[in-house]
Amino acid sequence: MPEASARPTSEPDRPGPGRRAKNVLPPREDPNAWYRRPLASLDFETTGIDPRADRILSFAALSDVGGDLMGMVNPGVPIPESSADIHGITASDLARAPMSAQALRPVLAWVHDLVQRRIGLVVYNASFDLTLLRAEAERHGLDQPDWDRLLVVDPFVIDWGVDRDRDGQRRLSDVASHYGVRLDKAHDAAHDARAAREIAITMGTAYPEIVGSSLTMLMAQQRYWIAARTMDWNKRAHELGRGLTIPGLDWPFA
């Protein structure tokens, strides 16, 4: 990018911060912006925190047009007690649930439909959930959507991008509280997916000039924020003598 030149001394002063020149209207918000249009939302509860090795136990796929998909999944593997303590799902709850291949096939078809219709999919911390779903599809030989065409809206990434200096944790419950979004039952897939979608819409209306109106541009902006966040993390890690993180080039996958 070329360096900015100094402003000519003959140029009249511009209005200062918080002031607008006379007869200049504020920019009009795009009524077709992504946060003004219907969005889908997805969330999983799982056996753990490794998206490549752990398994899906429950899902909520909230549609943009109604007809939500929700269900339980029998992963065929033990559920660690540490995970069950968080979401409350135990082996007895899944005894009659369909096995992973049967349960997740319609979820993948649902994502494929979103890709075909160019509908934005809200996923909080998308790199975890989408990596998990892709790994499950590969594990069970299921048909997969064209992931490269998926339009993802990740409130976790956007929150850092628009308010990176805010102190505190950025778990879904924390961010929901910050934006005044109701989350009745954290770590329930349906409640989490619904809250994530509401957070995304709230962010869009609060920061329209930052998030932009196009889902395609938002995807590029989120990738930039992921890279910037990794650089920020590595700067702090270097100062503390810790190992550095390799920037994720495959977002929205880990």
Side-chain angles (χ1 to χ4, degrees), residues 90-106:
T90 64
S92 60
D93 297 321
L94 305 177
R96 298 185 178 181
M99 301 299 288
S100 299
Q102 179 183 353
L104 297 177
R105 185 175 286 109

Side-chain angles (χ1 to χ4, degrees), residues 46-107:
T46 71
T47 58
I49 59 174
D50 184 339
R52 294 180 177 84
D54 280 303
R55 309 301 176 87
I56 294 171
L57 300 178
S58 70
F59 61 86
L62 307 186
S63 176
D64 60 305
V65 292
D68 300 337
L69 291 177
M70 301 182 195
M72 309 294 283
V73 183
N74 186 337
V77 299
I79 302 173
E81 186 175 343
S82 57
S83 297
D85 288 343
I86 294 174
H87 47 58
I89 300 174
T90 64
S92 60
D93 297 321
L94 305 177
R96 298 185 178 181
M99 301 299 288
S100 299
Q102 179 183 353
L104 297 177
R105 185 175 286 109
V107 177

Side-chain angles (χ1 to χ4, degrees), residues 104-105 107-109 112 133 137-138 140-147:
L104 297 177
R105 185 175 286 109
V107 177
L108 289 158
H112 172 75
L133 180 59
E138 292 171 351
H140 300 290
L142 302 176
D143 292 338
Q144 300 186 50
D146 185 350
W147 298 113

